[in-house]
Amino acid sequence: MNFEMPNFLLALPEIFVLGMACLLLLIDLFLKDQDRHLTYLFSLFTLVLVAVLTVYGYSGERQISFNGAYVADGMSQVLKLGVYFAVFVVFVYAKDYLRDRGIFKGEFYLLGLFGMLGMMIMISAHSLLTLYLGLELLSLSMYAMVAMQRDSARASEAAMKYFVLGAIASGMLLYGMSMIYGATGTLDLSGIASQAATADKTLMAFGLVFLLVGVAFKLGAVPFHMWLPDVYEGAPTAVTLYIGSAPKIAAFALLARLLGDGLINLHDQWQGILIILAVLSMAVGNIVAIAQTNLKRMLAYSTISHAGFLLLGILTGTRSGFSSSMFYALSYVLMALGGFGMIMLISRKGFEGDKLDDFKGLNKRSPWYAFMMLILMFSMAGVPPFLGFWAKLSVLEEVVASGMIWLAVVGVVFSIIGVFYYLRIIKLMYFDEPASEEELECSADMRLMISANALMVLGIGLFPGALMAACAAAFSTT
Amino acid sequence: MQTIYLLIVLAPLLGAVLAGVFGRQLDRTAAHWVTSLGVGISCLLSLYVFKHIVIDGAASFNGTVYTWMISDGVHFEIGFLIDKLSAMMMVVVSFVSLMVHIYTIGYMRDDPGYKRFFSYISLFTFAMLMLVMSNNFMQLFFGWEAVGLISYLLIGFWYKKETAIYANLKAFLVNRVGDFGFLLGIAAVLMYFGTLDYAQVFSNASILNDQTIDIIGGQSWSVATLICILLFIGAMGKSAQVPLHVWLPDSMEGPTPISALIHAATMVTAGIFMVARMSPLFELSETALTFVMVIGATTALFMGLLGLVQNDIKRVIAYSTLSQLGYMTVALGASAYAAGIFHLMTHAFFKALLFLAAGSVIIAMHHEQDMRKMGGLRKYMPITWFTSLMGSLALIGTPGFSGFFSKDSIIEAVGQSSLPGSTYAYVAVVLSVFVTALYTFRMYFLVFHGKERMDEHTRAHLRESPLVVTLPLIGLAIPSVVIGYFFVGSMAFGHFFGDAIFVLPQHDVLAKLSHEYHGPGAMMLHSILTLPFWLALSGVVTAWYLYIKRTDIPETLCRRWSFVYHIMLDKFGFDRFNEIFFAGGGRVLGKILWKVGDVFLIDMLVVNGSAYTMGWFSGMMRRIQTGYLYTYAFAMIIGLMALLAIFVL
């Protein structure tokens, strides 16, 4: 076995995050509770620095290192920056919420950073092993985060469910990987791609199904979605925000790496599976969301339906299809951040603003934030000129381009059904009488961030070209 | 230059946003300052652009500012096409708008919606400028709809007044009919050319030659004719041509400055402008040109006749506007686009002047608009009187005044046209010279001369309007008088518009006329020997005889010709027909659709049925979502098994 020195410089962002997280672990030990905001600032600082490292460390071409286990390419750059941004926003939104509930501890930020490291590894993975490693690092961090509010029965229950089901899903994923390894004899994604044509068909198909079940679980696609509403509702909103945003980008990366880089030759087989998952997800997500009275739960079902849409682009198996899904994932994360952020804006000490009724008459209490929520909801519903419209449009365009018009029609029909529950929130905000007249209380950074968040949804919606071009470029080099 | 163009459109928009959105933070003075300044900047820059393009002869500008999206190879863009045609329109729009802004300061002084009003008219200026400066059909449509919307808002500006609400709804609905045609026209352009960009469409216009399309019934239509007629239907709505004219007289329910700005000088001329802009397309179809000419001639004559029986001062001017728009349309139909646009310009000045003067009278009369209760105002309001007289003389086409040059060139051009229908059009426009003179001077004599018929209280308070009102009158009176003299040579008979307007050689009536044109002075001298001059003169004399000398005759006439009189009072029955046929028919159709389609099919079967299904489904899903871990794990295993069964076995 020849051993070559890996190019450490390539993985500098990951190494940096790991180092900083370990440093934070040490620092946090010596901090008193009233100085905890230093942890917060340190985490934000880490995120900014790693973003700088990522931008300036990238040579502009696809490079593979660590014996083919690690890849840096256009897609990994864009997705990582998306992840940093999402985690940054999560940290800012979470501060007040955690402090009000007495869980403003270093653990949240630590686990958040470790989870992010997992996502980064997933995004840059070029072998089944690295993929799995990143995925588990992310999952374990998230299980712990859900359980962070120890004395809450709901949170513990949610964490337990999440952990057990997640373990089953990981098992299936690993089983699928082992079969693919058995059929092709390699863990390297490009090796798999070149071997796939000659490998045993049945074994590959078995492996593929198990693999996709594992991925579908992480993505929350029907029928592997059942953990999602319970976990979203049970976890503290700050954690829900984390789970509901950045990992979606990582899940997209997981799919793109596995299916795009590794198993693209089996496209005929996985396309059918993804069609089933996508249609079921759009149907169940949109229809069941109508019956929800809890906003977190409603957004959980909305996530499921968006996962269905995300799959639509991928299942075309074309480069432009992948890039449209990537655009969808990034757009969705931006909207989800805002949506959960609004719940945290409404919440106060001892009050969870996660019921639909809590949004009644928001326009009377605060016209500006009602307007921000309006932007977010319209965008999620896919109303032009907001970002969500372009996301849906680009995915549907790809579906039509690959000749599956019926599937596009199904997508449109379900998203029209979905419009109902987004509009209901707007109706509650603007046409109903408020239940309480209390002023919204939150800190300036939160206010600023949520306004910026919603305005970005509008702004990118008006000028979607740049982000779309970035997504298209990410897939033109590979 | 692009910055300047952007600034021209954005300055009024900024003013509108400031006055509209931040109205609460601004006081009234600030509101009228920001908007007037914005429009003032636009006006100055437009003049600069006019000088740059027209006088210095710079090349025209055609460029894209912002690409909104590209779908299927079709670019949706915001861009400017600045040539001599748009440069002239920009000056007219921004200048009249500026005058109206200033005038409004006086006219709306006591109105509670003062800031809202300024915000609207600035926004209107923005939309209208976007329309005329556009270099593609999409932006044209944007401007088109935006001015329509603002017109709707402004007609119903006094939203507590029932008649105003009725009028604005009517205007909106009638314009929808026109816009429907317009949109179909644009769609047809997109279908055949694959682009919305003017330059590309016009340079490929010849591909339409001999193309036909089958519409329902298997009739073959020339595509060029179809596109042009559809586009013209849009123009009929906006420029109020028969039979889509019914909204314009009612729109007089809005405040007077609006009538001047939107319903006389600018918005209603959008249709004329559009057809002139589309001249490369219209030239391809003689059928469409004939259609345009006949519609225009009908409007010019018959709407003028209605002006004779109106007693509301603003409505008389409104019918006069209809009739003058008819003149412009006739010119377009005769391929004398330049003459049409020339009349558009002169008309913008003198008609805005007449409206604003009428507004000045209305202020003095304490919002009394019935001319039968006026009279002898000349000595109370000298400036208003004099400027009105100038406007009236321009309107009837007195040699030397601006209206004379433009109207006379249209009449001559129609006389030269050899298209089918041109004889009818010629007769109609010549006759309506007499009608125009008659109703204009009927109004003039009833308002400014004769017995003072107002009550004592009003008479005691009669006085000339303040400076902010009279200043725009003077500002508009000057171009109304002189502008024709200076521009007739280049605009109507010269090559003022250059490439902006395209005319086929065999249609080019103005080129024929230009051989006989020997300067404005000669044109005036020559006119004394022609029929229109004597018709106009006899119109004035008749008006004087009927309304000053023998005031008893009109009543006798009405009694003796009561049948005709009532048809005219009924506006030829257009409104009644629309109300019974379209509105009534619409209601019947709506009722059927409501009972059968909506209540039964949709509500009962589709909505309640689907809602019930959805409810059942989501209820079932909720039951499955038990909260027990083993159920979830079980579901996953089932899913796995199902996928394995489908895809492996």
Side-chain angles (χ1 to χ4, degrees):
Chain A
M1 180 178 178
N2 61 336
F3 190 84
E4 63 177 298
M5 193 64 177
N7 184 357
F8 285 108
L9 213 56
L10 216 51
L12 195 61
E14 280 84 354
I15 298 171
F16 175 75
V17 171
L18 178 65
M20 290 300 259
C22 293
L23 192 60
L24 182 64
L25 188 61
L26 281 178
I27 295 176
D28 192 61
L29 270 183
F30 297 99
L31 283 181
K32 293 196 187 61
D33 261 356
Q34 65 265 30
D35 298 330
R36 204 64 73 189
H37 62 273
L38 289 177
T39 311
Y40 165 70
L41 291 177
F42 187 84
S43 316
L44 294 188
F45 177 66
T46 307
L47 288 170
V48 173
L49 272 190
V50 73
V52 173
L53 276 181
T54 306
V55 171
Y56 289 101
Y58 179 54
S59 63
E61 53 196 69
R62 182 181 161 88
Q63 279 180 296
I64 297 177
S65 182
F66 293 93
N67 274 325
Y70 182 95
V71 61
D73 56 8
M75 181 182 105
S76 73
Q77 297 305 303
V78 179
L79 289 183
K80 276 181 191 169
L81 289 175
V83 167
Y84 305 150
F85 175 78
V87 174
F88 187 92
V89 176
V90 170
F91 283 178
V92 173
Y93 288 173
K95 190 186 67 174
D96 286 355
Y97 182 91
L98 295 174
R99 182 172 282 156
D100 288 346
R101 277 153 195 78
I103 44 175
F104 189 55
K105 305 281 187 217
E107 282 87 342
F108 180 81
Y109 294 98
L110 255 179
L111 289 169
L113 284 180
F114 274 119
M116 189 180 86
L117 180 60
M119 295 185 233
M120 292 165 71
I121 295 174
M122 275 163 85
I123 290 170
S124 270
H126 194 252
S127 106
L128 295 180
L129 215 54
T130 2
L131 263 183
Y132 185 72
L133 207 65
L135 183 62
E136 280 309 281
L137 184 52
L138 169 64
S139 303
L140 288 170
S141 309
M142 291 202 294
Y143 304 146
M145 282 169 94
V146 176
M148 232 175 57
Q149 208 172 8
R150 280 195 312 271
D151 42 2
S152 154
R154 302 192 70 122
S156 312
E157 183 192 327
M160 199 61 209
K161 279 182 190 163
Y162 190 23
F163 178 63
V164 173
L165 294 173
I168 296 177
S170 288
M172 289 181 182
L173 183 71
L174 209 51
Y175 191 44
M177 284 179 174
S178 72
M179 276 193 253
I180 294 204
Y181 176 64
T184 59
T186 173
L187 285 171
D188 184 272
L189 286 175
S190 42
I192 293 174
S194 57
Q195 296 290 320
T198 54
D200 185 314
K201 282 267 178 297
T202 327
L203 197 53
M204 284 300 272
F206 253 103
L208 188 64
V209 171
F210 275 100
L211 208 62
L212 283 178
V213 168
V215 178
F217 175 87
K218 299 295 171 196
L219 198 62
V222 179
F224 310 100
H225 66 289
M226 301 187 90
W227 59 278
L228 209 130
D230 287 12
V231 172
Y232 272 37
E233 191 188 354
T237 310
V239 176
T240 310
L241 175 66
Y242 184 86
I243 299 178
S245 56
K248 302 297 165 196
I249 299 179
F252 165 77
L254 182 64
L255 274 167
R257 291 293 178 212
L258 268 180
L259 300 179
D261 289 359
L263 298 168
I264 191 73
N265 292 328
L266 297 181
H267 173 236
D268 293 343
Q269 293 169 47
W270 53 258
Q271 184 177 46
I273 302 180
L274 290 195
I275 290 178
I276 292 182
L277 293 177
V279 172
L280 281 177
S281 301
M282 289 189 293
V284 170
N286 279 318
I287 293 173
V288 182
I290 294 175
Q292 305 304 321
T293 53
N294 180 302
L295 187 59
K296 273 158 83 179
R297 237 181 140 75
M298 191 200 95
L299 285 178
Y301 280 103
S302 136
T303 304
I304 295 171
S305 73
H306 285 291
F309 257 97
L310 185 70
L311 291 174
L312 283 185
I314 295 177
L315 63 81
T316 60
T318 58
R319 276 181 186 173
S320 48
F322 274 105
S323 83
S324 73
S325 276
M326 180 168 162
F327 181 65
Y328 199 95
L330 292 171
S331 315
Y332 171 69
V333 166
L334 192 60
M335 297 185 282
L337 284 170
F340 287 111
M342 285 302 299
I343 300 180
M344 297 165 75
L345 183 85
I346 300 284
S347 307
R348 319 179 275 282
K349 196 164 193 156
F351 170 73
E352 296 283 333
D354 60 355
K355 305 281 181 302
L356 286 183
D357 288 348
D358 297 333
F359 279 80
K360 272 188 181 168
L362 184 62
N363 184 41
K364 293 222 176 69
R365 291 167 64 194
S366 162
W368 175 251
Y369 293 107
F371 178 62
M372 295 294 111
M373 188 66 175
L374 174 121
I375 292 180
L376 291 164
M377 288 298 119
F378 267 146
S379 177
M380 283 207 187
V383 176
F386 303 105
L387 182 55
F389 166 72
W390 298 104
K392 281 206 166 68
L393 183 73
S394 63
V395 168
L396 289 173
E397 251 178 4
E398 290 308 321
V399 173
V400 171
S402 60
M404 291 177 285
I405 293 177
W406 70 271
L407 190 56
V409 173
V410 169
V412 169
V413 167
F414 282 119
S415 63
I416 289 173
I417 294 177
V419 170
F420 170 79
Y421 56 86
Y422 296 122
L423 289 189
R424 182 169 57 190
I425 297 196
I426 293 170
K427 178 237 165 199
L428 287 176
M429 290 192 305
Y430 282 89
F431 297 105
D432 285 13
E433 288 303 313
S436 77
E437 297 289 345
E438 279 175 79
E439 288 285 309
L440 301 175
E441 45 179 64
C442 57
S443 55
D445 46 357
M446 169 96 186
R447 283 169 184 270
L448 204 64
M449 193 52 125
I450 202 148
S451 306
N453 190 181
L455 291 178
M456 267 173 85
V457 169
L458 176 62
I460 304 180
L462 288 176
F463 301 91
L467 187 57
M468 275 181 173
C471 292
F475 281 92
S476 63
T477 51
T478 52
Chain B
M1 285 307 280
Q2 193 172 325
T3 331
I4 293 183
Y5 302 142
L6 266 178
L7 213 57
I8 290 176
V9 287
L10 292 183
L13 179 64
L14 183 71
V17 170
L18 284 177
V21 180
F22 302 101
R24 249 179 285 175
Q25 280 83 9
L26 297 176
D27 64 356
R28 294 161 80 93
T29 324
H32 73 232
W33 269 109
V34 290
T35 49
S36 306
L37 262 182
V39 174
I41 290 170
S42 259
C43 183
L44 282 178
L45 290 176
S46 298
L47 283 170
Y48 172 73
V49 170
F50 186 79
K51 172 181 173 297
H52 183 71
I53 299 269
V54 176
I55 298 173
D56 300 349
S60 47
F61 171 90
N62 182 8
T64 301
V65 179
Y66 162 67
T67 302
W68 183 40
M69 61 175 177
I70 301 172
S71 172
D72 220 6
V74 181
H75 290 244
F76 294 87
E77 293 169 332
I78 291 174
F80 297 133
L81 169 60
I82 311 293
D83 54 11
K84 290 171 178 168
L85 179 59
S86 33
M88 187 218 89
M89 286 298 289
M90 281 152 66
V91 171
V92 172
V93 169
S94 56
F95 179 72
V96 176
S97 174
L98 180 63
M99 290 299 127
V100 168
H101 271 77
I102 297 171
Y103 179 89
T104 304
I105 298 172
Y107 190 83
M108 302 292 283
R109 197 173 44 215
D110 304 320
D111 199 280
Y114 191 74
K115 289 178 256 182
R116 182 161 60 98
F117 191 86
F118 272 100
S119 172
Y120 285 168
I121 53 177
S122 259
L123 192 62
F124 170 80
T125 313
F126 158 73
M128 190 70 201
L129 287 169
M130 284 292 275
L131 191 160
V132 298
M133 291 165 74
S134 157
N135 76 345
N136 62 69
F137 284 87
M138 192 200 74
Q139 189 181 336
L140 174 73
F141 188 69
F142 164 79
W144 195 268
E145 291 299 299
V147 292
L149 169 71
I150 300 159
S151 151
Y152 163 80
L153 290 172
L154 282 168
I155 296 171
F157 183 76
W158 288 312
Y159 52 83
K160 288 182 183 150
K161 200 164 132 194
E162 193 114 345
T163 48
I165 296 302
Y166 177 79
N168 76 349
L169 198 59
K170 186 168 171 183
F172 199 69
L173 289 177
V174 173
N175 269 299
R176 289 284 74 64
V177 178
D179 292 348
F180 182 61
F182 190 50
L183 201 55
L184 283 178
I186 294 178
V189 167
L190 185 61
M191 181 167 132
Y192 281 93
F193 292 97
T195 173
L196 289 173
D197 189 78
Y198 286 165
Q200 288 174 30
V201 171
F202 296 157
S203 60
N204 292 325
S206 55
I207 62 166
L208 292 183
N209 279 338
D210 306 325
Q211 280 212 61
T212 55
I213 181 173
D214 284 347
I215 313 179
I216 322 164
Q219 293 274 13
S220 263
W221 284 69
S222 145
V223 172
T225 304
L226 180 77
I227 290 182
C228 293
I229 288 185
L230 284 174
L231 290 175
F232 181 65
I233 288 175
M236 280 162 70
K238 192 103 336 193
S239 291
Q241 298 296 301
V242 173
L244 297 181
H245 65 283
V246 290
W247 63 274
L248 188 66
D250 284 12
S251 76
M252 297 303 134
E253 292 297 338
T256 308
I258 292 320
S259 310
L261 176 62
I262 299 185
H263 305 119
T266 54
M267 184 188 83
V268 289
T269 60
I272 311 296
F273 165 77
M274 188 268 285
V275 175
R277 183 51 102 203
M278 304 299 154
S279 55
L281 296 180
F282 277 84
E283 280 301 297
L284 294 177
S285 167
E286 294 203 347
T287 320
L289 286 176
T290 301
F291 181 72
V292 171
M293 185 150 64
V294 170
I295 293 280
T298 310
T299 311
L301 179 58
F302 289 92
M303 293 302 119
L305 284 174
L306 295 186
L308 294 175
V309 298
Q310 297 296 323
N311 290 319
D312 182 319
I313 179 168
K314 279 176 72 183
R315 282 191 185 244
V316 176
I317 314 180
Y319 279 105
S320 146
T321 305
L322 283 171
S323 162
Q324 299 304 309
L325 287 167
Y327 269 102
M328 298 174 211
T329 310
V330 170
L332 301 173
S335 287
Y337 303 99
I341 296 290
F342 183 39
H343 194 52
L344 185 163
M345 177 181 80
T346 56
H347 174 256
F349 292 122
F350 64 70
K351 191 51 66 69
L353 166 63
L354 283 175
F355 261 119
L356 295 187
S360 171
V361 168
I362 291 169
I363 308 176
M365 296 292 299
H366 296 281
H367 292 271
E368 176 58 71
Q369 305 191 3
D370 193 334
M371 293 190 297
R372 286 169 299 190
K373 295 183 182 155
M374 299 177 187
L377 292 183
R378 184 174 72 130
K379 58 176 180 283
Y380 298 103
M381 313 179 70
I383 302 178
T384 309
W385 163 73
F386 185 72
T387 49
S388 290
L389 180 61
M390 292 300 116
S392 304
L393 288 174
L395 172 59
I396 66 165
T398 316
F401 287 81
S402 64
F404 160 75
F405 293 104
S406 51
K407 197 185 280 187
D408 217 47
S409 15
I410 290 177
I411 295 170
E412 292 293 321
V414 175
Q416 291 288 329
S417 174
S418 55
L419 289 178
S422 58
T423 319
Y424 164 71
Y426 185 68
V427 173
V429 289
V430 169
L431 281 183
S432 65
V433 171
F434 173 76
V435 179
T436 308
L438 185 54
Y439 68 68
T440 308
F441 273 83
R442 168 177 175 260
M443 174 178 78
Y444 170 75
F445 288 130
L446 279 177
V447 173
F448 292 106
H449 296 271
K451 258 209 320 255
E452 298 173 9
R453 294 178 295 274
M454 65 291 277
D455 56 40
E456 268 315 307
H457 174 76
T458 316
R459 191 204 320 257
H461 287 86
L462 273 179
R463 71 170 78 83
E464 182 59 281
S465 304
L467 197 62
V468 280
V469 171
T470 50
L471 205 62
L473 293 182
I474 298 166
L476 285 164
I478 295 168
S480 299
V481 176
V482 302
I483 204 156
Y485 186 85
F486 291 115
F487 281 101
V488 62
S490 57
M491 232 184 234
F493 300 117
H495 297 282
F496 180 89
F497 293 112
D499 301 334
I501 285 174
F502 171 79
V503 187
L504 287 178
Q506 66 266 33
H507 290 166
D508 201 346
V509 287
L510 288 176
K512 270 189 241 167
L513 287 177
S514 66
H515 299 308
E516 296 160 21
Y517 173 74
H518 305 293
M523 188 171 169
M524 280 152 63
L525 275 180
H526 174 71
S527 75
I528 296 175
L529 303 174
T530 59
L531 192 57
F533 173 76
W534 293 103
L535 282 175
L537 190 64
S538 56
V540 175
V541 172
T542 316
W544 172 79
Y545 187 72
L546 292 181
Y547 294 96
I548 297 291
K549 189 85 179 151
R550 292 284 304 274
T551 44
D552 55 318
I553 295 184
E555 270 177 51
T556 326
L557 276 177
C558 288
R559 235 173 304 130
R560 192 154 305 159
W561 295 82
S562 76
F563 176 66
V564 179
Y565 179 66
H566 277 105
I567 287 182
M568 280 170 47
L569 267 191
D570 210 21
K571 303 159 209 159
F572 301 122
F574 275 108
D575 274 342
R576 190 187 298 237
F577 175 77
N578 286 342
E579 230 159 71
I580 294 172
F581 189 78
F582 287 111
R587 270 199 296 274
V588 169
L589 189 68
K591 206 164 188 172
I592 294 172
L593 287 177
W594 169 52
K595 288 278 187 207
V596 179
D598 212 62
V599 174
F600 179 69
L601 281 177
I602 296 181
D603 278 6
M604 275 178 61
L605 294 182
V606 181
V607 174
N608 288 347
S610 68
Y612 181 75
T613 318
M614 294 292 157
W616 175 81
F617 185 75
S618 54
M620 192 190 72
M621 290 305 293
R622 281 181 79 164
R623 268 200 301 285
I624 293 177
Q625 191 87 22
T626 52
Y628 291 117
L629 190 55
Y630 60 82
T631 328
Y632 295 3
F634 185 63
M636 283 172 69
I637 302 294
I638 295 279
L640 174 72
M641 291 302 171
L643 288 182
L644 279 176
I646 297 171
F647 291 101
V648 179
L649 303 177

